[in-house]
Amino acid sequence: MATLSTLPPQLQSALDSLSPELRGHIQRVRVIARGLAEEHRLDRDRVDLGAAAHDIARGDSDDVLMAEALAGGVRITDADRSRPILLHGPVGANRLRDRLLVTDEAVVEAVYWHTTGLATMGPIAKVVFLADKFDLAKASRYPHIERVKELAADDMDRAIIEFLRGDMVRLLNEDELVHPGSLETVNGLLLAIQRR
Ligand SMILES: [Fe+2]
């Protein structure tokens, strides 16, 4: 197994308070993210920090997420109101910066956008976004994930587009609201690819 970094103590204690299921998911995502970081020649420790922190707010109640999102100036869409759990990335990122004193903006960005993506996010955020989806425990939710994995080896932008496309179709088929941020990410990445 890949060696994982030692985390800042404030972050480690925040992680220790999460459920065993979440801690298991986070550990698996850290290992996957480290592998992707190596493939894409990125700083493994910064990627690892983003992966370790990405779900720090995932165990919070809808009320807490909504209150912290409002206080933290997060854009709240109809999709977030319908499923406040979608706010755990932005809320976790604000908490990371404001309370856990993580100053690496690429890491904060990775946590903030790991659910919807952001077209302009940097490579560290792209790795964290994808590694989160590659956790095998999520495989049944994402039947298109093998295609996403194939794409991720060469082109993270195309992999993220493919993931979001499949996920938006799934949500629409289940009569769930699609987050406009996901569609904005797909549009922005498609434009970026066309301009390469
Ligand atoms: Fe998450």
Side-chain angles (χ1 to χ4, degrees), residues 172-184:
L172 290 169
N173 285 338
E174 293 173 0
D175 282 341
E176 294 273 6
L177 273 69
V178 168
H179 199 290
S182 298
L183 185 57
E184 288 161 10

Side-chain angles (χ1 to χ4, degrees), residues 39-40 149-157 196:
E39 273 178 47
H40 293 275
K149 278 186 193 169
E150 284 170 23
L151 290 167
D154 288 331
D155 190 332
M156 290 199 287
D157 289 351
R196 276 182 195 165

Side-chain angles (χ1 to χ4, degrees), residues 116-171:
T116 60
L118 180 76
T120 56
M121 64 186 171
I124 289 175
K126 288 174 184 174
V127 164
V128 171
F129 179 97
L130 288 167
D132 173 41
K133 315 306 177 290
F134 293 165
D135 178 9
L136 283 179
K138 292 187 172 181
S140 61
R141 204 190 316 169
Y142 304 138
H144 62 311
I145 207 69
E146 286 307 318
R147 176 72 186 134
V148 180
K149 278 186 193 169
E150 284 170 23
L151 290 167
D154 288 331
D155 190 332
M156 290 199 287
D157 289 351
R158 288 193 191 279
I160 292 166
I161 291 168
E162 184 64 19
F163 173 79
L164 288 172
R165 191 195 333 253
D167 200 44
M168 287 191 291
V169 168
R170 173 183 71 89
L171 291 166

